[in-house]
Amino acid sequence: MITVAPSSTHSVRFELRDVCFAYEAEPVVTDLSCTIAAGEFVGIIGSNGAGKTTLIRLLSGMLTPQAGVVLASGTAVTTLDARERARRIALVPQNESVVFPWSVFTMVLLGRHPHRSGLGFERPDDYAAARAAMVHMEIAHLAERSVLDLSGGELHRVIIARALAQDTPVLLLDEPSAHLDIRHQVALFELLSRLHAQEGRTVVIITHDLNLAGLYCDRIMLMDRGEIAAFASPAEVLREDIIARHFGVQVSIGTDTDTGRPLMRLRRPS
């Protein structure tokens, strides 16, 4: 379990009030208002172009709303300086270009930068957090490898490990399982579930795997054309009529016998 930085002991509550954002003249998020409770595990789903990535970037402070405000425990995210934001919020982007031949360990250790003080040299707890994150993501054996020599899935596990080493009360993840094989997808959701349940971290994840979202998330937010179409428990959102309406596919929804959670099966078009 990663429990190094003091920030991990303080959960963060998000509140979005009438948030709007547009790229040039094209609205992407429109009058969006919602609350994500401290320590909640939220899955964001929706078709391509629904505004999911823009929402994650607004939550992280990478983007500034053109109207409205995003609050993290009562403070506007964009008013925090970069170091303070990085102590509270870790972001795993959907894609990241890597151009320097860092070793895997060096890249994961970059996640500790917000916690350094004085001359900025690493302390023993920084090294410990980086090593623990690599063990969690099953990349400890790659520690000395150049990140330029990794497969896409291995590199994405390094990026996730860097966010874990950052040891923040908030983890925002944009389709983190898209590059992972099925075993590592399940392992990632299991890890996020433990961090959420045992350490009270707020986890917000964009995923196209509706079954994983249904099995692990407290609530699911369904986005459609920049608005929230539904934001409720998995059983209330993962319904056959809702999936058909918003994704244009026919599914059968059953119940997982072990967890009581909804389980979806895709049906071929007739």
Side-chain angles (χ1 to χ4, degrees), residues 10-212:
H10 305 290
S11 296
V12 170
R13 174 182 185 268
F14 283 107
E15 186 178 356
L16 290 83
R17 298 178 182 171
D18 303 317
V19 171
C20 298
F21 188 85
Y23 294 102
E24 296 181 351
E26 182 180 355
V28 181
V29 169
T30 307
D31 295 327
L32 196 150
S33 296
C34 69
T35 298
I36 296 173
E40 190 172 19
F41 192 166
V42 170
I44 302 177
I45 65 172
S47 58
N48 294 334
K52 303 183 299 297
T53 293
T54 299
L55 173 57
I56 281 278
R57 290 175 176 171
L58 288 164
L59 290 172
S60 72
M62 281 183 62
L63 296 177
T64 301
Q66 288 148 352
V69 64
V70 177
L71 301 172
S73 294
T75 302
V77 174
T78 52
T79 65
L80 300 170
D81 63 45
R83 180 179 287 271
E84 182 57 30
R85 277 206 312 270
R87 286 175 174 167
R88 298 190 191 192
I89 301 168
L91 172 66
V92 176
Q94 186 178 139
N95 295 296
E96 181 171 332
S97 297
V98 177
V99 295
F100 295 106
W102 286 313
S103 71
V104 166
F105 182 73
T106 299
M107 186 164 178
V108 174
L109 194 59
L110 290 174
R112 299 301 302 164
H113 180 72
H115 302 292
R116 296 176 193 165
S117 58
L119 297 176
F121 295 115
E122 293 86 2
R123 299 166 301 185
D125 57 354
D126 296 320
Y127 290 111
R131 292 191 185 100
M134 290 194 298
V135 169
H136 278 301
M137 295 311 301
E138 299 183 10
I139 55 171
H141 64 291
L142 301 174
E144 301 307 318
R145 286 266 298 275
S146 167
V147 292
L148 300 181
D149 296 334
L150 303 178
S151 69
E154 289 171 334
L155 177 60
H156 211 65
R157 282 153 58 198
V158 172
I159 293 169
I160 296 169
R162 182 185 63 194
L164 294 177
Q166 201 170 325
D167 201 28
T168 55
V170 176
L171 281 169
L172 306 177
L173 306 100
D174 189 351
E175 295 187 45
S177 59
H179 303 272
L180 306 181
D181 60 51
I182 190 168
R183 181 172 74 85
H184 287 105
Q185 289 179 33
V186 173
L188 174 62
F189 271 82
E190 280 287 326
L191 172 61
L192 295 175
S193 181
R194 290 197 304 275
L195 294 174
H196 149 66
Q198 297 174 9
E199 299 183 15
R201 302 208 200 190
T202 305
V203 179
V204 182
I205 183 169
I206 296 174
T207 181
H208 286 297
D209 193 316
L210 305 190
N211 279 327
L212 284 175

